Amino acid sequence: MAAALRAKSLVRTFTSRAVDGFVGAIGNTPLIRLKKLSEKTGCNIVAKGEFQNPGGSVKDRAALGVIRDAEERGLLKPGGTVVEGTAGNTGIGLAHVCRAIGYRCVIFMPNTQSQEKIDLLRMLGAEVYPVPAVAYDNPKNYNHQARDFAASIPNAVWTDQFDNTANAKAHYLTTGPEIWEQTEGKVDAFVCATGTGGTLAGTGKLLKEKSDGKTQVWLADPPGSVLYSYISSGGKLTERSGGSITEGIGQGRITNNLAILVKDLDGALHIPDADSIAMLYDLLDTEGLYLGASSALNVVAAVKLAEKLGPGKTIATILCDGAYRYQSRLFSKAWLKEKALEDAIPSQLKKYAVLD
């Protein structure tokens, strides 16, 4: 298996014809074998290069999925408005797809998100409303404000990325089958973090079905999320507390998307921020991959799972997006110091923190 993956990595497979615009370019991303980490663990650690989607992240798939679902159900007609509450990448995917198809795009988001994401959304023509970051049960939560705005105008749809299972369906129909085909049906485990739950649930459900339950599916969780404790305790939902440097992942509840698979998960892994930031710098140094913190967290989880399952296994995960939307933080000496993460980076890798 290792030899086959190494040989295939030398050649990119292209479709036999031109794709139809932005929408046609979504999906069919490469599965990247992480060479150094595979050698270190004795496993094949492979990661879906979702940063190569045309909008730059895994959320392009969900964005297209929820819009097509709304069209098919007659909820969205030509000239309509797409509204979402999003921490960033789903909004960017929606803004791209809306421009490509011809819809107005309105985004509500927590005002804690990176300026790069907000600026990009506006550059793509979306109307952006940063609002105070409050708990989900607060009526002023960004998701509720998006829902209420959509209800107040004609021919508008709130895509409801957290609880609209068209999100998970998009990954069940695309991401899961791609990983299954790219590993030739030899994937022992799949692990990734979750925000909406769509990627984990949709991809995991497909892989479990294809493997007759042999493929294990694990959840990776950052600090400040309750999902690790929920799964580890057998279903006890605790109060959310704390936070993480990662954006768009972690959760305080079981979303409708995650509910599709949560009872069939094989386990969960808690990943400290220090481990994620160290892996982010390591992947840049050893693999030449310039990735965001959630991608690095996923790779940390894949390594931990490889160590848990033992050598000879194929472990798949998701490289959600690149570091470009977060570089003013992740490569800033001042920001790393503020977050007490300077010492998490090995001394020989601190040369990459070039911003003051």
Side-chain angles (χ1 to χ4, degrees), residues 134-308:
V134 295
Y136 185 79
D137 57 6
N138 188 316
K140 293 297 184 181
N141 178 274
Y142 65 101
N143 291 291
H144 304 326
Q145 292 200 49
R147 175 199 62 202
D148 295 344
F149 182 86
S152 72
I153 60 174
N155 192 19
V157 62
W158 171 46
T159 46
D160 189 13
Q161 60 165 326
F162 289 89
D163 293 313
N164 180 355
T165 55
N167 175 349
K169 182 180 178 181
H171 293 284
Y172 179 83
L173 294 175
T174 65
T175 317
E178 289 172 28
I179 291 175
W180 184 255
E181 181 178 349
Q182 288 167 320
T183 60
E184 298 176 342
K186 299 172 184 176
V187 55
D188 297 289
F190 172 72
V191 60
C192 74
T194 180
T196 66
T199 305
L200 181 70
T203 305
K205 180 175 168 56
L206 184 284
L207 293 175
K208 278 194 170 291
E209 288 180 1
K210 284 286 190 180
S211 67
D212 293 325
K214 294 177 183 177
T215 299
Q216 293 191 24
V217 179
W218 287 63
L219 182 146
D221 217 26
S225 175
V226 305
L227 299 180
Y228 169 76
S229 63
Y230 176 86
I231 294 166
S232 300
S233 68
K236 183 180 179 181
L237 197 61
T238 58
E239 190 72 21
R240 188 171 189 172
S241 64
S244 171
I245 63 164
T246 56
E247 296 183 20
I249 59 173
Q251 189 54 262
R253 65 188 180 94
I254 306 301
T255 65
N256 286 353
N257 281 290
L258 182 56
I260 292 171
L261 192 68
V262 70
K263 293 181 179 179
D264 295 320
L265 290 174
D266 294 281
L269 299 166
H270 174 75
I271 310 298
D273 282 346
D275 291 357
S276 296
I277 203 75
M279 181 61 77
L280 185 149
Y281 277 71
D282 183 73
L283 287 167
L284 176 58
D285 188 64
T286 61
E287 302 283 352
L289 291 169
Y290 189 60
L291 302 168
S294 58
S295 298
L297 182 150
N298 284 346
V299 175
V300 173
V303 170
K304 288 183 179 293
L305 190 53
E307 292 169 347
K308 183 181 289 287

Side-chain angles (χ1 to χ4, degrees), residues 4 31 33 45 53 84 107 114 140 199 217 237 242 271 303 310 331:
L31 191 67
R33 182 175 185 267
I45 297 182
N53 277 306
E84 184 54 278
I107 301 296
S114 64
K140 293 297 184 181
T199 305
V217 179
L237 197 61
I271 310 298
V303 170
F331 295 91

Side-chain angles (χ1 to χ4, degrees), residues 120-139:
L120 178 55
L121 282 166
R122 288 175 172 157
M123 290 173 195
L124 291 170
E127 298 172 36
V128 185
Y129 297 95
V131 299
V134 295
Y136 185 79
D137 57 6
N138 188 316

Side-chain angles (χ1 to χ4, degrees), residues 13-208:
T13 300
F14 294 92
T15 54
S16 59
R17 57 180 176 77
V19 298
D20 190 12
F22 180 94
V23 167
I26 295 174
N28 291 312
T29 56
L31 191 67
I32 302 169
R33 182 175 185 267
L34 302 178
K35 185 174 183 293
K36 297 293 185 181
L37 295 174
S38 295
E39 292 173 351
K40 178 181 177 181
T41 60
C43 289
N44 284 308
I45 297 182
V46 294
K48 204 83 166 80
E50 292 298 286
F51 58 87
Q52 291 199 13
N53 277 306
S57 88
V58 65
K59 295 296 187 178
D60 287 2
R61 296 182 190 257
L64 179 60
V66 295
I67 286 177
R68 289 305 192 206
D69 177 73
E71 291 173 336
E72 290 168 6
R73 292 195 288 146
L75 302 176
L76 187 62
K77 299 177 177 60
T81 301
V82 173
V83 187
E84 184 54 278
T86 170
N89 278 334
T90 299
I92 291 167
L94 286 169
H96 273 293
V97 174
C98 285
R99 290 276 58 76
I101 299 176
Y103 295 121
R104 176 191 178 196
C105 184
V106 178
I107 301 296
F108 287 80
M109 68 190 308
N111 58 9
T112 55
Q113 299 305 297
S114 64
Q115 190 61 43
E116 288 99 329
K117 284 185 179 179
I118 296 171
D119 291 343
L120 178 55
L121 282 166
R122 288 175 172 157
M123 290 173 195
L124 291 170
E127 298 172 36
V128 185
Y129 297 95
V131 299
V134 295
Y136 185 79
D137 57 6
N138 188 316
K140 293 297 184 181
N141 178 274
Y142 65 101
N143 291 291
H144 304 326
Q145 292 200 49
R147 175 199 62 202
D148 295 344
F149 182 86
S152 72
I153 60 174
N155 192 19
V157 62
W158 171 46
T159 46
D160 189 13
Q161 60 165 326
F162 289 89
D163 293 313
N164 180 355
T165 55
N167 175 349
K169 182 180 178 181
H171 293 284
Y172 179 83
L173 294 175
T174 65
T175 317
E178 289 172 28
I179 291 175
W180 184 255
E181 181 178 349
Q182 288 167 320
T183 60
E184 298 176 342
K186 299 172 184 176
V187 55
D188 297 289
F190 172 72
V191 60
C192 74
T194 180
T196 66
T199 305
L200 181 70
T203 305
K205 180 175 168 56
L206 184 284
L207 293 175
K208 278 194 170 291

